Amino acid sequence: MMLAIRVLRDGVAVREQIFKTLPVRIGRDPECDLILTEASVSREHAQIRADDAGGIAIVDASGTNGLYAGPKRVASEKIVGRLRARLGAVELEIEEVSASATQPISLEDLHRLDQRRTPLTWAKYIVLTLAAINADAVLNPEFWSPWNAGAAIGLVWQSGAAIVAVLVFGAILLGLLKAVGRKVRFADVLHHFAVYSWLHPLAIVLAMLGYYLFADPTASALHAWLPTLATVVFLAKAAAIRRQGSNRWFHAGWAAAFLFIEVGTDMTGSYAARQMGQPAADHTMLMPAPGLGAGPSTSWDEYAKEVEAAGARSETEARAPGP
């Protein structure tokens, strides 16, 4: 049996000791096995010892400021896997470790390791995020309109506003993640923006290709829902930044929640539009893909007749007496 006890500061281990025998006495007394000099810790504050069931537990040794496991004060707490406990103002992480052969580190765990990031790294992440935001704007058909003479100037102004937005929303996300106990840095948030901001322009490109491959209403559905799904993935991945353990079900749960909100909002908007007699949109406006031409299309006269007919039907339905 080997027991690792780590002293944490702001959630980060600053000291670790390994113990091979029990009990382990913890306190300020020089005779304790793990000595803590913090004034809020009693001379012999707690013990880690075997319990009656053959497991290991940390037990309050009548410390003045008590023993806490999570937010609640306890007399004892069984140690299963990894336990975080607080003695006075000192936070400990206690874990039973194995002396077996060294295990290879996975790419996912390697990514979670703290890395020193310089201001140049921050700048790189911000530039990549701005490039994704501007790509999103360039893929908008209105950007290429001959009546949009100030498109380039607008892109410059958008970049300036986007820098502020990235920093503000990044700070908000950082605060939320830290509030739930994540060991996250601002660089981790910026890295998320730099990678997953590209999902939205990628979704627009896929919707554009779908316009050439599928007829309406399939093409219109792709145009409407692929960017939405990109946003859902962006938010679900943001919720999982620096989360320990398997993230598969965590991602699925958050994605389902965000998708439910998006579908509910869309359905509410559609219902309100129908109640107001507003005809449903039956067209898709996309920028032609380079080298593929205009693609399938409907003449303006034919489309205008369909719009006029839809308007007449809506007017008739609106004037019809209610039940």
Side-chain angles (χ1 to χ4, degrees), residues 10-45:
D10 296 328
V12 179
V14 294
R15 173 184 163 197
E16 180 182 63
Q17 282 186 237
I18 302 295
F19 298 91
K20 297 182 179 180
T21 58
L22 296 177
V24 177
R25 297 179 302 153
I26 306 172
R28 283 191 297 115
D29 194 303
E31 298 299 319
C32 286
D33 301 298
L34 177 64
I35 302 171
L36 303 173
T37 58
E38 163 65 40
S40 62
V41 176
S42 299
R43 293 183 64 81
E44 186 169 336
H45 200 116

Side-chain angles (χ1 to χ4, degrees), residues 26 36 93 99 123 139 142 152-153 157 160 175 177 181 249 267-268 295 301 306 310 321:
I26 306 172
L36 303 173
E93 183 177 80
L139 290 170
E142 295 180 0
I153 297 176
W157 281 104
L177 292 172
W249 291 108
M267 292 178 65
T268 302
D301 290 339
E306 293 177 359

Side-chain angles (χ1 to χ4, degrees), residues 185-268:
R185 297 177 177 178
F186 196 54
D188 297 317
V189 175
L190 293 179
H191 178 265
H192 170 79
F193 287 166
V195 174
Y196 291 101
S197 292
W198 285 95
L199 286 177
H200 201 272
L202 177 61
I204 294 176
V205 171
L206 292 177
M208 183 188 304
L209 295 177
Y211 170 67
Y212 291 89
L213 298 175
F214 306 102
D216 271 336
T218 303
S220 294
L222 291 174
H223 179 65
W225 284 104
L226 280 178
T228 297
L229 293 176
T231 302
V232 167
V233 173
F234 177 91
L235 294 173
K237 284 290 187 179
I241 295 176
R242 286 278 181 171
R243 181 178 180 272
Q244 298 293 327
S246 175
N247 285 325
R248 180 180 303 173
W249 291 108
F250 184 85
H251 284 149
W254 276 103
F258 289 130
L259 189 59
F260 178 80
I261 293 172
E262 181 62 36
V263 171
T265 302
D266 184 71
M267 292 178 65
T268 302

